[in-house]
Structures are given as C-alpha cells and as structure tokens.
Amino acid sequence: VTGRSLDSLMMRDREFVNRFCAFALLGFQAFRGDLDQFLADALCAMNKKSEAELGELSVRFQRSMRNNFAVFQNHAFRKHWGAGERRNPLNVALFDVFSVLYSELDELFVEAKQRELRMSFYELMEDSKFVDAISSGTSDPRKVVNRFQKAKEAITRLKENDREA
C-alpha cells in the first residue's frame, strides 16, 4: 500500500504498524502528546491480549490496507488533491487516521463507495484546520483529536447518506 516507501532496515514499517495498533487499541482520545509513551502503552496492552485478540487486530490492519489501497491506490496515506497528481511522501498523520478508520469499514461498503470516500477525503483536504492538523505540530493532542474527528465525521456522513438511499 505504501509503495515500499517504509525502510524495513530503519524499522519504519514496524513503527507504522505499531502506530496503527496504538490508535486502534487505545483510541485517539488517549494520546497525550508523548508518542514514545503512547506506543509503549500500546505494546503493554498488546502483551495482555490473547492470541485470538491479536489475530483480530491483524485482520483489522490487513482490511485497512486493502481498503486504503482500493480507495487511494498509490496515493494512500499521502497528501493529495486529485488522482492525477504526482505522488507525495507518506504522511504519518494521515496513516494514523485512515489506517484506523478504514479498518472499521466493511470491504463491500468500500468497494461500492470508493469514489465517494475519495471525494470526502478531497473535501477534508480543502479544510484548512484538517490540513494543519496533518501538516505541522502533529503530536499536539488537540490536532490528533481534530484530524480523527473530522475524518470520522466525513465517513459517518457518507454511511448515513448510504443508509438513507
């Protein structure tokens, strides 16, 4: 999904997976600004999980990667405003948000709503507060909450519109 952009020698791939686990297990509301402590807390939480629970977390992660690729293709977890743009660097703040939120979406829903999900992302990219929350000071707990809430609201609106149709 990342186009092999995460260096496994530098363990960036493991860091991203750990970030997913932390935000998926502990929730974005639990983040207090110290990423190292947050990731350590997540590892402690994972050590207390059963094999079945860890297996479900793995299933969620894999579903998220498939969902993100289905919607964004080679632009997954990257700032962009349209599919035809050049591919920008990975954005870890976007990874945090969309890896967790798309892990909660049914793959059939994502398949049916790829275009709408992409358009809701482009709308977020027009929101200056969202763009700021994924661009600078990204470890500020208020910005973490802001970006998760805005993205979650966009997805919720899309799901509600789907139910009404």
Side-chain angles (χ1 to χ4, degrees):
V1 175
T2 65
R4 304 207 186 280
S5 295
L6 297 173
D7 186 351
S8 62
L9 290 176
M10 299 299 290
M11 296 184 31
R12 287 284 285 164
D13 53 349
R14 290 171 186 85
E15 177 194 344
F16 273 55
V17 172
N18 196 11
R19 291 174 75 107
F20 166 80
C21 294
F23 282 106
L25 289 174
L26 304 177
F28 65 89
Q29 304 90 336
F31 183 74
R32 300 285 176 252
D34 184 343
L35 182 63
D36 290 337
Q37 185 62 54
F38 189 62
L39 297 179
D41 291 347
L43 290 173
C44 288
M46 285 190 290
N47 284 333
K48 295 175 184 172
K49 298 288 184 190
S50 69
E51 286 296 318
E53 291 169 318
L54 291 174
E56 176 53 34
L57 187 61
S58 175
V59 167
R60 280 185 63 191
F61 179 77
Q62 292 172 41
R63 178 175 50 240
S64 172
M65 296 304 105
R66 288 189 301 270
N67 284 343
N68 274 282
F69 188 76
V71 173
F72 300 112
Q73 300 291 308
N74 66 343
H75 290 288
F77 314 122
R78 298 166 195 274
K79 290 184 198 177
H80 66 287
W81 289 261
E85 287 187 12
R86 71 174 182 82
R87 200 170 83 162
N88 288 314
L90 284 174
N91 180 291
V92 71
L94 284 176
F95 178 86
D96 293 343
V97 171
F98 286 93
S99 66
V100 172
L101 295 181
Y102 277 35
S103 77
E104 299 166 356
L105 296 178
D106 180 80
E107 289 180 80
L108 294 175
F109 172 80
V110 171
E111 184 180 324
K113 298 295 181 183
Q114 286 177 17
R115 183 182 181 288
E116 292 89 343
L117 287 162
R118 205 168 26 258
M119 292 300 118
S120 71
F121 172 78
Y122 296 149
E123 287 175 20
L124 286 171
M125 293 302 292
E126 296 299 324
D127 181 327
S128 61
K129 287 185 179 177
F130 180 82
V131 172
D132 180 58
I134 63 168
S135 298
S136 63
T138 58
S139 290
D140 179 331
R142 291 171 300 201
K143 290 188 178 184
V144 171
V145 168
N146 178 286
R147 63 180 172 253
F148 268 93
Q149 284 182 334
K150 285 184 175 291
K152 193 170 191 156
E153 288 166 6
I155 292 168
T156 299
R157 278 192 305 274
L158 188 60
K159 289 168 93 176
E160 288 172 354
N161 289 343
D162 188 54
R163 276 189 227 119
E164 293 171 6

